[in-house]
Amino acid sequence: MLKLTDISWESFAALGLESKKPYLEHPDDPGMPYHTLFAQQFDRSALERLCALANRIRFINKSKEGALYLKNLLTHKRAMLYFSQPSSRTFLSHLAACQILGITTGSVRDAATSSEFKGESREDSIRTFSSYFDMIIMRSPEQGLAEKMAWELSNSERPIPILNAGSGKDQHPTQALLDIYTLIRSFETKGGIDGRTVTFCGDLMRGRTVRSLSYLLTNFNDIKQIFVAPKELQVPSDVIDILREKGVRYEISDDLRAATRISDAVYMTRIQDEWDNSKGESAKIDTHRFKFGAEELELLGKDAIIMHPLPRRDEIATCCDHDPRAMYWRQMRNGMWIRAALIATVFGFEKTIMECGY
Ligand code: NCD
């Protein structure tokens, strides 16, 4: 088994994602991650296991007895939520997931309130958190920081797991897990997820949820991906390279209506203008054709769904909100269940929960 203790940070950082994957595997469960850093760590069997566990947790939690059973499972564990970038849903759903499993939590939501403000390095901050907690769930504007922290911890005397809750413009693996869970549940009784057409629309250049979900979809059979965006915000070449390599069908487009007609899922995203280099450059891009409203809703198939990682601005009109195909509200709640499933799995409790009497 490859271990992060056997490789220098420089050599590890230089590897491709597929080569990094074995270093991050769970020692007791090699099909699952120990440190969860990017979507490439999940194959179809891991995704199906997590979705089955999320369904199980969702079911058990319905009764008071079941909820109490879950709440007693991980009372001996503590998790640190270290979010140095804005977050509502990702923070709260991880927090709620920990609460479901009885995990005690602590949090830093602003580096200005931690010793980083006094000049402490992130490496030292992480080592500090690891002294008090058993898992670190982290979000950072910096690409690759979660990886660096995973390497640091694995090479420390407290090698606790890291869970990446969003790293720069790069990856957001747990969002992709909840998106897949939502797709699987939506098509469960309608022939399944294989063979579907998924359209991504909006800021595909800088949206990390798109990169992670596009990869996870490659685990399923014959899924076509359509990328609809203004040319300045089209999907980056590394995403396309993976699709080409894996022989996945894709299309680059600027026609949301045409894509909507043939899609099983339309995944809308907001313009990520926090990444603008000079003030207001996104505002100069014409985005009016990349919004989903009443007319697009008319074109959408009756079994198709609309998704959004949220927060939204005006890229989905509020008139769509009560349509049964609007899946973004349920997506949020799915995030809590799948994150509970992932955290329980990392702590080695999948089997216990799957086999319990509830
Ligand atoms: C996304 C993110 O942070 O990348 N939000 C989320 O986690 N639900 C999408 C976004 O901010 O646009």
Side-chain angles (χ1 to χ4, degrees):
M1 193 189 158
L2 296 170
K3 295 200 196 103
L4 283 176
T5 44
D6 297 336
I7 185 167
S8 70
W9 165 245
E10 289 70 24
S11 307
F12 179 71
L15 297 175
L17 294 185
E18 292 291 345
S19 314
K20 282 178 180 165
K21 186 178 159 179
Y23 287 94
L24 307 169
E25 276 171 5
H26 201 293
D28 306 321
D29 188 355
M32 287 289 180
Y34 181 70
H35 298 295
T36 303
L37 303 178
F38 41 78
Q40 279 74 358
Q41 291 176 264
F42 298 94
D43 61 15
R44 183 168 188 154
S45 130
L47 294 172
E48 288 176 345
R49 272 173 60 188
L50 285 171
C51 291
L53 184 59
N55 282 341
R56 190 90 184 91
I57 293 173
R58 182 195 287 263
F59 175 78
I60 297 170
N61 201 64
K62 282 187 198 299
S63 71
K64 185 168 182 185
E65 297 71 28
L68 278 172
Y69 164 79
L70 291 171
K71 242 187 163 355
N72 267 318
L73 277 180
L74 285 154
T75 40
H76 56 306
K77 297 291 181 190
R78 286 184 296 275
M80 174 69 188
L81 295 145
Y82 173 38
F83 277 57
S84 52
Q85 204 189 13
S87 175
S88 303
R89 278 147 287 266
T90 308
F91 181 87
L92 291 174
S93 61
H94 276 108
L95 179 68
C98 288
Q99 288 169 344
I100 289 168
L101 298 167
I103 298 170
T104 315
T105 55
S107 65
V108 165
R109 296 204 66 173
D110 181 353
T113 64
S114 78
S115 286
E116 262 176 56
F117 195 63
K118 299 185 202 162
E120 183 170 64
S121 71
R122 261 90 48 104
E123 286 79 356
D124 286 4
S125 294
I126 286 282
R127 289 284 285 268
T128 306
F129 300 150
S130 75
S131 308
Y132 309 126
F133 293 94
D134 304 295
M135 167 180 275
I136 295 173
I137 301 165
M138 64 177 282
R139 164 172 286 198
S140 154
E142 205 176 307
Q143 186 167 326
L145 187 66
E147 276 185 31
K148 178 74 182 1
M149 295 304 135
W151 185 89
E152 285 289 338
L153 286 183
S154 282
N155 283 281
S156 78
E157 65 290 346
R158 288 269 305 155
I160 65 167
I162 290 266
L163 217 149
N164 177 8
S167 50
K169 288 175 267 187
D170 183 36
Q171 287 260 357
H172 195 347
T174 65
Q175 175 71 42
L177 291 177
L178 78 88
D179 293 336
I180 285 290
Y181 184 44
T182 302
L183 285 161
I184 287 181
R185 282 181 71 83
S186 301
F187 298 120
E188 200 162 39
T189 57
K190 294 172 183 159
I193 184 173
D194 292 316
R196 301 285 173 180
T197 296
V198 178
T199 287
F200 294 94
C201 178
D203 188 343
L204 311 184
M205 167 80 85
R206 303 175 291 188
R208 55 194 171 193
T209 68
V210 173
R211 175 177 279 101
S212 291
L213 179 57
S214 169
Y215 181 84
L216 280 197
L217 286 170
T218 68
N219 283 300
F220 298 89
N221 300 328
D222 198 29
I223 290 196
K224 180 175 179 186
Q225 302 188 23
I226 306 179
F227 300 97
V228 179
K231 65 177 183 326
E232 300 89 332
L233 300 175
Q234 255 305 351
V235 70
S237 58
D238 63 310
V239 175
I240 296 300
D241 289 347
I242 292 174
L243 301 183
R244 282 215 187 106
E245 195 183 297
K246 291 186 173 285
V248 172
R249 289 183 299 142
Y250 72 91
E251 203 181 304
I252 304 285
S253 163
D254 62 359
D255 189 342
L256 178 58
R257 292 193 181 163
T260 299
R261 278 195 196 93
I262 57 167
S263 290
D264 297 293
V266 178
Y267 190 98
M268 299 298 298
T269 63
R270 73 178 168 89
I271 304 302
Q272 311 269 320
D273 48 16
E274 66 269 38
W275 301 109
D276 281 4
N277 292 327
S278 58
K279 220 168 165 241
E281 75 202 36
S282 297
K284 298 190 188 105
I285 300 171
D286 180 6
T287 55
H288 82 277
R289 289 190 310 116
F290 304 94
K291 298 184 200 288
F292 198 100
E295 287 170 49
E296 288 70 23
L297 199 58
E298 279 289 308
L299 302 173
L300 190 70
K302 77 171 185 6
D303 289 335
I305 60 170
I306 316 160
M307 298 172 73
H308 195 307
L310 302 177
R312 82 169 145 187
R313 289 178 183 168
D314 61 353
E315 59 279 350
I316 300 181
T318 50
C319 66
C320 302
D321 288 0
H322 296 289
D323 191 282
R325 295 166 292 180
M327 211 47 70
Y328 28 99
W329 312 119
R330 259 178 268 175
Q331 231 175 308
M332 269 196 275
R333 193 157 167 85
N334 286 342
M336 176 175 78
W337 303 120
I338 201 81
R339 284 166 171 141
L342 176 66
I343 293 168
T345 302
V346 171
F347 283 129
F349 276 73
E350 179 195 17
K351 196 160 181 275
T352 310
I353 299 173
M354 288 308 278
E355 293 175 1
C356 78
Y358 289 95

